[in-house]
């Protein structure tokens, strides 16, 4: 038997494994970068260490968050616990912003200092190991994200994608600083890293805010949902479609127009058939359908009719 609960359980296992993998990689890199930062004195490496430290904390929080979000609905949380993922993502964003601020201050302070880095080979070696480990983690995270659309793992994925740039920047800074004699390279790369992290945090926050604010699905997905749902021969139209996403859970509710003389039993059968039509293309979505006598429109909202999908597109684009 399959359904939203089964899908959520499978997704919960995948996201927990991905979060645990992130924690493991972050712990390994934390140890290596801690030594390299001490050995080289590089502010770029220090910035990379700070970012990995926050990655470790964020991954621990993500591990807790995805496990909590995967919990089934209970008496006090009838829509499940999916928004825990959005809260975790916002926590991760805050950590990234603080990290970027600290790295930027340290780099600006280094600009006016003649202090040089040392032992570049340690920093370069550790950075190469970090790049290899991060590539492997990113590949696994992409697999999990494709399967689950997890916001927490997606935000974690963004962290580690930026880590690739961080590690390459550390290598470039150490080479320029020690081997090519450009003493200001380390500080400049530190500032660039701080700006990159800050920009990434702002981008990552938008999806979390969207979920917390119950933003509607993308227009194309809603339009396709209406087309599939309205294809039933006994459905005269669809209106008051409302959609939202909460962690790994998607919700959709809408009203359909049916013959006013239709019996309750027949209307119930039609609703079941509509859900059966939607399930293959929208697996795991929790659907709530309300039948209305044809022509009836509730007080709030404009009707969204399946046959008027083109009008819907135009209205959305002009608002």
């Amino acid at each position: 038997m399959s359904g939203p609960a089964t899908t959520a359980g499978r997704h919960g296992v995948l996201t927990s494994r991905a979060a645990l993998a992130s924690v493991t990689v972050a712990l390994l890199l934390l140890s290596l970068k801690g030594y390299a930062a001490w050995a080289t004195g590089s502010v770029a490496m220090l910035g990379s260490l700070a970012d990995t430290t926050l990655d470790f904390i964020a991954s621990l929080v993500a591990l807790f968050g995805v496990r909590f979000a995967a919990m089934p609905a209970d008496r006090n949380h009838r829509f499940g616990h999916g928004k825990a993922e959005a809260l975790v993502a916002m926590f991760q964003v805050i950590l990234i912003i603080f990290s970027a601020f600290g790295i930027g201050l340290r780099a600006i302070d280094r600009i006016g200092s003649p202090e040089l880095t040392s032992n570049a080979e340690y920093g370069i070696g550790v950075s190469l190991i970090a790049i290899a480990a991060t590539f492997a983690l990113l590949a696994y995270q992409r697999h999990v994200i494709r399967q689950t659309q997890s916001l927490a793992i997606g935000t974690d994925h963004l962290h580690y994608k930026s880590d690739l740039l961080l590690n390459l920047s550390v290598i470039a800074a150490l080479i320029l600083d020690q081997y090519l004699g450009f003493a200001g390279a380390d500080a400049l790369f530190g500032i660039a890293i701080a700006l990159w992290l800050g920009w990434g945090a702002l981008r990552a926050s938008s999806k979390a805010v969207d979920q917390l604010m119950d933003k509607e699905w993308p227009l194309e997905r809603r339009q396709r949902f209406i087309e599939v749902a309205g294809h039933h021969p006994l459905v005269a139209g669809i209106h008051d479609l409302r959609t939202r996403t909460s962690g790994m859970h998607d919700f959709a509710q809408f009203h359909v127009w049916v013959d006013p003389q239709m019996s309750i039993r027949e209307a119930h059968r039609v609703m079941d058939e509509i859900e059966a039509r939607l399930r293959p293309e929208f697996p795991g979505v929790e659907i709530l359908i309300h039948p209305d006598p044809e022509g009836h429109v509730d007080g709030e909202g404009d009707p969204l009719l399946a046959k008027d999908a083109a009008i819907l597109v135009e209205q959305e684009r002009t608002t």
Side-chain angles (χ1 to χ4, degrees), residues 64-110:
F64 167 77
V66 296
R67 288 183 173 178
F68 188 79
M71 292 173 59
D74 58 33
R75 188 172 181 177
N76 295 316
H77 304 88
R78 301 303 296 271
F79 290 98
H81 302 78
K83 287 193 177 181
E85 285 209 26
L87 294 174
V88 166
M90 289 302 297
F91 177 77
Q92 291 170 320
V93 165
I94 292 171
L95 286 180
I96 295 173
I97 291 174
F98 274 107
S99 173
F101 185 73
I103 294 168
L105 289 180
R106 181 73 178 90
I108 292 172
D109 182 64
R110 176 62 68 87

Side-chain angles (χ1 to χ4, degrees), residues 103-250:
I103 294 168
L105 289 180
R106 181 73 178 90
I108 292 172
D109 182 64
R110 176 62 68 87
I111 288 177
S113 171
E115 182 180 354
L116 298 176
T117 60
S118 59
N119 299 317
E121 63 276 9
Y122 292 140
I124 293 173
V126 165
S127 295
L128 290 174
I129 294 173
I131 289 172
T134 303
F135 262 120
L137 177 62
L138 288 173
Y140 182 59
Q141 286 180 329
R142 281 194 295 271
H143 167 72
V144 172
I145 293 168
R146 282 195 299 269
Q147 297 293 320
T148 66
Q149 302 300 314
S150 169
L151 179 60
I153 300 302
T155 307
D156 215 33
H157 184 72
L158 177 63
H159 294 174
Y160 287 98
K161 282 178 67 176
S162 67
D163 278 358
L164 290 178
L165 180 61
L166 289 175
N167 290 310
L168 289 172
S169 298
V170 169
I171 293 173
L174 290 171
I175 290 174
L176 288 171
D177 190 87
Q178 290 191 41
Y179 298 136
L180 300 180
F182 184 24
D186 185 56
L188 292 177
F189 272 96
I191 292 174
I193 288 170
L195 293 174
W196 173 261
L197 287 174
W199 173 244
L202 291 176
R203 289 188 300 161
S205 66
S206 62
K207 289 186 177 180
V209 171
D210 286 346
Q211 284 204 15
L212 292 172
M213 296 297 293
D214 286 335
K215 184 177 180 179
E216 292 280 344
W217 292 352
L219 174 60
E220 293 78 11
R221 192 181 187 204
R222 279 181 287 145
Q223 181 180 343
R224 180 57 185 162
F225 189 92
I226 291 173
E227 291 172 355
V228 175
H231 193 64
H232 195 286
L234 296 181
V235 171
I238 296 174
H239 64 99
D240 202 18
L241 171 67
R242 301 182 186 186
T243 60
R244 66 187 181 95
T245 298
S246 178
M248 296 174 289
H249 307 281
D250 283 321

Side-chain angles (χ1 to χ4, degrees), residues 225-242 252-260 262-263 266-275 277-278 287-298 303-306:
F225 189 92
I226 291 173
E227 291 172 355
V228 175
H231 193 64
H232 195 286
L234 296 181
V235 171
I238 296 174
H239 64 99
D240 202 18
L241 171 67
R242 301 182 186 186
Q253 63 183 65
F254 58 96
H255 293 213
V256 297
W257 282 340
V258 295
D259 186 342
M262 184 179 290
S263 68
E266 179 69 4
H268 185 271
R269 183 185 65 80
V270 171
M271 302 306 107
D272 284 345
E273 291 176 354
I274 293 173
E275 288 192 34
R277 289 171 181 266
L278 289 166
I287 300 170
L288 177 63
I289 310 175
H290 179 79
D292 282 332
E294 184 175 353
H296 173 80
V297 178
D298 290 338
L304 301 180
L305 303 179

